[in-house]
Amino acid sequence: MAYSREQLIEAVSAQMPDKRWKHTLGVMESSITLAEQYGADPVRAETAAILHDVAKYWPVDRMREVIEQNGLSLELLKHDKQLWHAEVGAFVAERDYGITDAEVLDAIRFHTSGREGMGLLEKVVCLADYIEPGRDFPGVEQIRRQARNSLEEGLIAGFDSTISLLLAKRRIVFPLTVLARNDLVRILEDKI
């Protein structure tokens, strides 16, 4: 059964604290704006944004179980648990909420890490997650400025920010994020 927009909002908002729901509303707004600016479907962007953090507040053991029992990326289990909710969220969006649009599912799945060969909808939702109005971290204004001119430039700035933060904390950088960043740099270099 496919859920209506209102049913998705009701179901997802009930699974997270008010502060995270406010973030989700910001990602919804930013996704629509970016989709309209860069030629993606705003309805599909909003759907992915509604669901992007659906599993964010699930217990770690529950996410691990979903990953292990459903053939999801076991590689994720070797990395920061903050990454798990995206893969689990895409699975849940399909299983529990009837989302069958592969691009919407990928936008949910890769909104945290990015990946090589990101599609337009993936770029929109990933960047919206970085720049939504409630975000306040060092460098966010630079990412917002870049986003006004180019999805790729905005995402590179976002990934650079994430990678720099992880390096400063001596944390492991998820390989997909590095690959995504490098792929976007190559895309821009090829345009020159």
Side-chain angles (χ1 to χ4, degrees):
M1 168 190 134
Y3 280 58
S4 71
R5 176 185 182 275
E6 291 70 27
Q7 289 171 320
L8 282 177
I9 287 171
E10 186 177 327
V12 173
S13 65
Q15 296 188 50
M16 58 185 62
D18 288 343
K19 184 177 179 184
R20 180 52 56 164
W21 180 245
K22 187 175 180 187
H23 160 74
T24 298
L25 291 172
V27 176
M28 289 162 58
E29 173 189 326
S30 296
S31 289
I32 291 168
T33 300
L34 290 170
E36 289 171 346
Q37 180 177 353
Y38 291 108
D41 182 332
V43 173
R44 293 165 73 214
E46 183 185 46
T47 299
I50 292 168
L51 288 158
H52 85 283
D53 276 349
V54 67
K56 179 86 173 175
Y57 288 90
W58 284 22
V60 171
D61 290 342
R62 183 176 179 196
M63 284 193 285
R64 178 188 305 278
E65 185 177 295
V66 169
I67 291 167
E68 290 174 344
Q69 292 181 3
N70 295 285
L72 305 184
S73 173
L74 295 176
E75 178 67 21
L76 269 178
L77 299 178
K78 299 176 188 173
H79 294 278
D80 193 308
K81 293 168 183 61
Q82 291 296 319
L83 295 167
W84 299 5
H85 77 280
E87 179 87 14
V88 173
F91 176 79
V92 167
E94 184 172 16
R95 181 191 69 188
D96 297 349
Y97 300 106
I99 303 298
T100 57
D101 183 327
E103 291 181 34
V104 169
L105 294 171
D106 281 344
I108 297 166
R109 182 175 291 111
F110 298 108
H111 82 269
T112 302
S113 64
R115 68 168 174 155
E116 277 185 295
M118 291 175 78
L120 180 59
L121 198 61
E122 291 172 73
K123 291 177 184 178
V124 162
V125 175
C126 185
L127 186 53
D129 193 32
Y130 272 112
I131 66 167
E132 65 92 358
R135 288 288 200 198
D136 183 21
F137 58 87
V140 71
E141 287 306 323
Q142 172 65 20
I143 299 168
R144 288 181 178 128
R145 279 192 296 278
Q146 295 287 358
R148 285 194 282 274
N149 300 315
S150 163
L151 274 177
E152 290 79 14
E153 291 285 4
L155 281 168
I156 290 168
F159 291 144
D160 284 353
S161 170
T162 297
I163 292 167
S164 295
L165 177 68
L166 293 171
L167 292 175
K169 292 182 174 187
R170 286 191 60 139
R171 304 282 302 273
I172 292 172
V173 179
F174 191 52
L176 275 185
T177 303
V178 175
L179 293 172
R181 182 221 179 257
N182 291 345
D183 188 47
L184 293 167
V185 169
R186 273 192 291 277
I187 288 169
L188 291 180
E189 286 175 349
D190 288 346
K191 289 183 178 180
I192 296 173

